[in-house]
Amino acid sequence: MSPTQPNEWLLLERTVRFGEIDAAGVLHFHHLLRWCHEAWEESLERYGINAVDIFPSKLDVTDSLRVALPIIHCEADFRLPIKCGDHLLIRLEPQRIDVGSFQVRTKFQRDGQEVAIGLVRHLAIDSTTRERCDLPQDIDLWLEASSLNLGLRPV
């Protein structure tokens, strides 16, 4: 059963840890894209989609896992320094591009100020043939439900 309000799966929180900062005392750049992917995974789980049902492995490609969702584009913009101990609000903004691709813009805020934005774009491909295909039904439903996020407010 999926949550009824998009803010239940599109608004997350995170605290910056010591191991994520560099010698200059700010977030090491690669962590932002990792956070984007982890936030997407957590959003799917909160919505009711198990990671094991979306991410195929070579050992277990069943009919339901015939679609892989590789990242075909990613980018990150840092607006303000992100430091150890910062408590961040994370807002996901999923967008369907077409029947076989989507992107998730992830906005990071501290004390109401935007500190960074990440964007990750996925393409659906058949796990065996590596050809383009339609998105899995669960992802379609998540995207559709997420598009109802107008007026989304922190909880």
Side-chain angles (χ1 to χ4, degrees):
M1 181 82 169
S2 61
T4 58
Q5 298 298 316
N7 62 351
E8 295 179 41
W9 71 87
L10 296 177
L11 285 177
L12 310 171
E13 296 180 34
R14 177 176 204 106
T15 300
V16 182
R17 302 293 177 208
F18 175 74
E20 297 169 325
I21 61 170
D22 61 17
V26 295
L27 182 72
H28 195 270
F29 71 94
H30 77 279
H31 287 295
L32 192 76
L33 292 173
R34 179 175 58 85
W35 289 355
C36 290
H37 200 280
E38 288 175 357
W40 175 55
E41 289 180 50
E42 184 175 341
S43 176
L44 292 176
E45 289 169 2
R46 286 184 179 199
Y47 180 74
I49 301 171
N50 295 318
V52 71
D53 296 331
I54 295 296
F55 303 109
S57 72
K58 280 279 197 194
L59 302 175
D60 184 28
V61 178
T62 62
D63 284 341
S64 66
L65 295 177
R66 296 228 18 156
V67 177
L69 299 168
I71 294 170
I72 59 168
H73 175 80
C74 61
E75 60 187 62
D77 291 312
F78 293 84
R79 308 281 191 223
L80 293 169
I82 301 171
K83 299 173 276 190
C84 182
D86 283 351
H87 183 77
L88 305 176
L89 176 67
I90 304 169
R91 178 179 175 154
L92 286 81
E93 297 178 352
Q95 177 187 14
R96 182 188 325 272
I97 297 170
D98 58 35
V99 297
S101 63
F102 70 99
Q103 66 186 22
V104 181
R105 183 174 315 279
T106 308
K107 296 183 176 182
F108 298 85
Q109 291 184 342
R110 178 186 58 228
D111 299 325
Q113 268 194 306
E114 191 169 86
V115 295
I117 300 174
L119 178 90
V120 178
R121 190 169 300 137
H122 297 265
L123 175 71
I125 61 171
D126 182 287
S127 298
T128 305
T129 66
R130 311 309 271 179
E131 304 263 330
R132 284 184 76 142
C133 64
D134 291 351
L135 292 167
Q137 182 180 12
D138 285 347
I139 295 295
D140 258 342
L141 294 171
W142 175 78
L143 286 165
E144 182 180 330
S146 297
S147 70
L148 305 173
N149 69 2
L150 299 174
L152 188 65
R153 286 177 298 228
V155 289

